[in-house]
Amino acid sequence: MEGAGSGCLKPAVRSGLIAAIAVLILDQATKLWLLYGFDLGHRGLVRITPFFDLVLAWNTGISYGWFSDSGPTGQVVLVAIKAIAVVALAVWMAKSETRLATIGLGLIIGGAIGNAIDRFAYGAVVDFALLHVEIAGKTYNWYVFNLADVAIVAGVAALLYDSFFTVPAAKAP
């Protein structure tokens, strides 16, 4: 019997934990390498392709830089909210019935923890990826983001797909 006290995890939950750990490791390794190995801060903008650049941005806010002027107290509040959200997502993941949902939740959890580590270590989230397009001589930039952000968006997409297109499991009588 699986459950509390058995020490066993459902295979779907195990997949979610693996996704969270993988995202966390890749996110932090990428950020550390870009900051200290590649020294992106001193290089400035680095063109990779006609539509993708590397550029260091310190995001003290949340998505799209919202609440970036909240100061140290605001940073503590944001981290506290994120911690509560991660716990809630972990409980949801433990109760989830599909592998896709647990992987999606794991991606979100890993990304959230990765960005929270940045807040503790640097006082801001390390963002570095910039997508842009030039149309009729005018350049349009997307916001600067990181791998944790990509994982969070992919996790949300997985949850949406799972909730709209996965057939719910039959319930026992």
Side-chain angles (χ1 to χ4, degrees):
M1 175 174 156
E2 287 187 11
S6 71
C8 296
L9 292 174
K10 295 187 291 186
V13 174
R14 194 173 305 122
S15 297
L17 288 174
I18 291 169
I21 292 166
V23 165
L24 180 57
I25 290 169
L26 286 171
D27 174 65
Q28 289 299 297
T30 302
K31 291 171 181 174
L32 288 170
W33 180 76
L34 285 169
L35 286 172
Y36 302 110
F38 190 70
D39 198 17
L40 185 58
H42 287 100
R43 288 180 186 248
L45 186 131
V46 178
R47 288 210 174 276
I48 304 298
T49 70
F51 58 87
F52 176 69
D53 299 334
L54 293 175
V55 61
L56 181 60
W58 297 99
N59 183 356
T60 57
I62 58 172
S63 298
Y64 307 102
W66 294 345
F67 306 115
S68 59
D69 57 354
S70 61
T73 303
Q75 291 297 311
V76 171
V77 170
L78 288 175
V79 169
I81 291 169
K82 189 170 285 194
I84 292 166
V86 165
V87 169
L89 291 169
V91 169
W92 182 7
M93 185 171 71
K95 293 180 178 185
S96 182
E97 296 296 321
T98 68
R99 187 175 306 271
L100 182 59
T102 58
I103 290 172
L105 290 161
L107 293 173
I108 296 167
I109 290 167
I113 293 171
N115 283 342
I117 288 171
D118 291 1
R119 286 192 192 285
F120 277 119
Y122 312 112
V125 173
V126 179
D127 287 331
F128 57 83
L130 174 63
L131 293 173
H132 53 85
V133 63
E134 187 173 325
I135 300 173
K138 182 164 171 75
T139 301
Y140 298 91
N141 294 316
W142 190 244
Y143 70 101
V144 183
F145 59 96
N146 60 43
L147 290 180
D149 299 332
V150 172
I152 291 167
V153 170
V156 170
L159 289 175
L160 288 171
Y161 184 89
D162 183 69
S163 59
F164 287 119
F165 299 111
T166 302
V167 178
K171 303 229 184 222

